[in-house]
Amino acid sequence: MTSRPLDAEPAAMPHHPPADRILSTLKTRGALGIPDLARVLDVTVEAVRQQMARLQADGLVDAGSRPAGRGRPVKIWRLTAVGHARFPDTHAEMTVQMISAVVRVFGEAGMDQLIGVREQAMRDNYSKALRGARSLGAKLARLADIRSREGYMAESRPEGDGFLFIENHCPICTAARACTGFCRSELQLFGEVLGPGVRVSRVEHVLAGARRCAYQVSPQRAP
């Protein structure tokens, strides 16, 4: 048995980045893989992997995947709603005040008009992003990508004869609680940009107490 010399340096232990640094990085940069996190934080991959296991156990982060060309999907990590709650929204009160002011000055019709303008801009943006995607799965992958860039932490995965489209965070939650028209317009919007022959139904809703919003998306069978 070979013993280690007394004056030898002890084996290096992984330097674990503080949990807050990981959470802040995911908040500011969006979903990332463990190697990307390790590079940004300048620590070892193993150190990040161990810390992510703890954060996932606490419900602060969750894992997903994204396509990587012809290879296997890349595993990525993102904040959960609980993780996002670690970053207080100082604009929440102002958002509610602004919505109340619009309704008070312009009435419910004015609020509906404002939502309609927002919806049209999103429709144009999403339709452009989905252009050229042939399959429903490809369309949902692109929609998940653009919604994630908007802060919804979206993902899509096959389920049954269709797909489950998931949004793990709602950056307009405060506005939606003050005016449910925002959620109503987005449900309709998804159906429009995904095209005819697609059925979209909401199966989980943050405003109904769920952890996330989720939509069942499937091809409509011909009668």
Side-chain angles (χ1 to χ4, degrees):
M1 179 176 178
T2 303
S3 60
R4 182 171 61 86
L6 294 178
D7 59 347
E9 291 290 334
M13 297 297 291
H15 171 60
H16 293 93
D20 287 346
R21 285 190 65 201
I22 291 181
L23 296 177
S24 295
T25 301
L26 292 176
K27 182 69 173 176
T28 57
R29 294 177 178 251
L32 292 172
I34 285 181
D36 296 324
L37 275 167
R39 184 167 55 253
V40 171
L41 299 173
D42 193 25
V43 295
T44 66
V45 168
E46 182 59 28
V48 174
R49 183 175 289 113
Q50 293 178 17
Q51 190 68 284
M52 296 305 285
R54 298 187 183 98
L55 293 173
Q56 186 178 37
D58 291 338
L60 296 170
V61 299
D62 199 4
S65 63
R66 65 185 173 202
R70 295 184 178 181
R72 296 175 57 186
V74 176
K75 187 174 184 180
I76 57 174
W77 292 85
R78 53 174 65 94
L79 294 180
T80 64
V82 176
H84 274 283
R86 297 282 289 266
F87 301 87
D89 183 5
T90 58
H91 302 292
E93 184 177 352
M94 184 183 71
T95 299
V96 173
Q97 291 174 349
M98 289 295 293
I99 291 174
S100 298
V102 169
V103 173
R104 186 168 59 251
V105 175
F106 301 104
E108 294 291 347
M111 191 71 234
D112 288 341
Q113 185 176 3
L114 179 63
I115 292 174
V117 171
R118 172 181 178 269
E119 182 180 336
Q120 183 59 53
M122 295 170 68
R123 182 184 295 107
D124 294 342
N125 193 23
Y126 293 178
S127 296
K128 181 179 180 181
L130 270 59
R131 192 174 300 152
R134 297 183 178 276
S135 67
L136 180 57
K139 290 180 180 180
L140 287 171
R142 293 191 185 183
L143 184 60
D145 182 64
I146 192 171
R147 294 287 284 183
S148 291
R149 292 200 302 269
E150 293 175 351
Y152 288 88
M153 301 175 66
E155 58 182 301
S156 175
R157 59 173 180 243
E159 182 172 284
D161 61 350
F163 297 85
L164 189 65
F165 187 78
I166 300 168
E167 294 184 334
N168 293 294
H169 179 59
C170 180
I172 65 163
C173 190
T174 299
R177 291 185 188 280
C179 180
T180 57
F182 285 105
C183 285
R184 185 173 61 249
S185 71
E186 290 185 354
L187 178 59
Q188 178 181 347
L189 178 62
F190 290 165
E192 292 176 354
V193 299
L194 291 172
V198 176
R199 182 176 64 253
V200 182
S201 58
R202 185 185 285 120
V203 294
E204 295 180 52
H205 197 191
V206 169
L207 296 188
R211 180 185 64 83
R212 62 189 185 182
C213 286
Y215 303 84
Q216 187 68 48
V217 183
S218 57
Q220 287 184 329
R221 292 191 177 92

